[in-house]
Amino acid sequence: MSKLILFIGCFILSSWYCTESIYSHSVTTIEGITKPLNLYQGKKILIFTLPIEQNSGNDSILFSLDSLRMAFESSLIIIAVPAYEDGFTINAKENLKQWYRSKLSMDIIVTEGLYTRKSSTNNQHPLFRWLTEKSRNDHFETDVYAPGDKFIVWINGELIAVLGAQTRIGSSVVNEILQ
């Protein structure tokens, strides 16, 4: 009997592990609202690591992100993430929220600060663990390296692209992937 229970337990755990998807996760917005990602099934999702430093160059990046949202507003969800590893702090949260919201539409999900990198080990947010581990996303073994890194998830929940900060938001590469 105990072997049967052990087998069933292992089966349930392996089934859960095998069914992990982007839609298994949720994020909390910078305003404190929890957003389960299963709400966005059937949409493309762009996850973008936000800059933390407020300057004209980063203002331009935020405007480009908002322009991309407008260009694909009916088919794309944008999740913008300030990372602790890039300098996000609780003390800076209010100023960053005001800056982000002055440049980005409320249709863009701006999360609270998250740990995005593998070096954060147990603190790495589960969404970023899924995005950066091939054993979870079935395609890419990568990491987050800098603000401006991008992850693109297709309408079926498949991670289809990982782009570094050097690939600009308004580039033809990004536009072609999102078509």
Side-chain angles (χ1 to χ4, degrees):
M1 179 70 165
S2 63
K3 287 183 182 182
L4 178 61
I5 292 171
L6 182 60
F7 173 75
I8 291 171
C10 290
F11 178 76
I12 290 169
L13 283 174
S14 68
S15 296
W16 174 81
Y17 182 77
C18 293
T19 60
E20 181 184 8
S21 74
I22 184 104
Y23 306 120
S24 304
H25 303 285
S26 63
V27 294
T28 302
T29 68
I30 202 161
E31 292 85 13
I33 301 165
T34 299
K35 298 276 187 170
L37 299 188
N38 65 4
L39 295 174
Y40 309 113
Q41 288 182 333
K43 299 261 188 183
K44 299 168 200 160
I45 301 173
L46 169 69
I47 298 160
F48 182 86
T49 55
L50 287 169
I52 302 298
E53 186 178 330
Q54 297 179 46
N55 58 44
S56 60
N58 287 337
D59 283 352
S60 179
I61 290 169
L62 296 180
F63 283 127
S64 294
L65 191 60
D66 204 59
S67 295
L68 185 71
R69 178 205 54 85
M70 288 188 294
F72 294 96
E73 72 180 317
S74 64
S75 62
L76 179 67
I77 299 299
I78 298 176
I79 301 172
V81 179
Y84 279 103
E85 298 92 341
D86 296 323
F88 179 88
T89 64
I90 296 298
N91 292 338
K93 178 180 173 177
E94 259 326 292
N95 286 338
L96 287 171
K97 179 169 77 170
Q98 288 175 5
W99 176 50
Y100 296 146
R101 288 301 177 208
S102 72
K103 310 291 184 228
L104 300 172
S105 161
M106 287 300 289
D107 292 330
I108 293 178
I109 299 166
V110 177
T111 72
E112 64 184 3
L114 300 179
Y115 286 97
T116 60
R117 291 174 177 74
K118 289 180 176 182
S119 61
S120 296
T121 58
N122 293 337
N123 288 327
Q124 186 183 31
H125 190 275
L127 171 61
F128 279 88
R129 201 169 296 125
W130 184 85
L131 291 167
T132 61
E133 292 181 14
K134 184 177 181 177
S135 64
R136 295 173 187 268
N137 66 51
D138 292 330
H139 295 289
F140 297 94
E141 183 71 34
T142 189
D143 204 355
V144 175
Y145 297 101
D149 283 358
K150 299 155 222 47
F151 298 84
I152 300 174
V153 178
W154 202 244
I155 59 176
N156 62 357
E158 180 180 2
L159 181 60
I160 62 162
V162 177
L163 304 169
Q166 73 280 4
T167 305
R168 293 187 15 230
I169 280 292
S171 72
S172 59
V173 170
V174 171
N175 285 311
E176 287 176 25
I177 292 170
L178 293 174
Q179 289 299 330

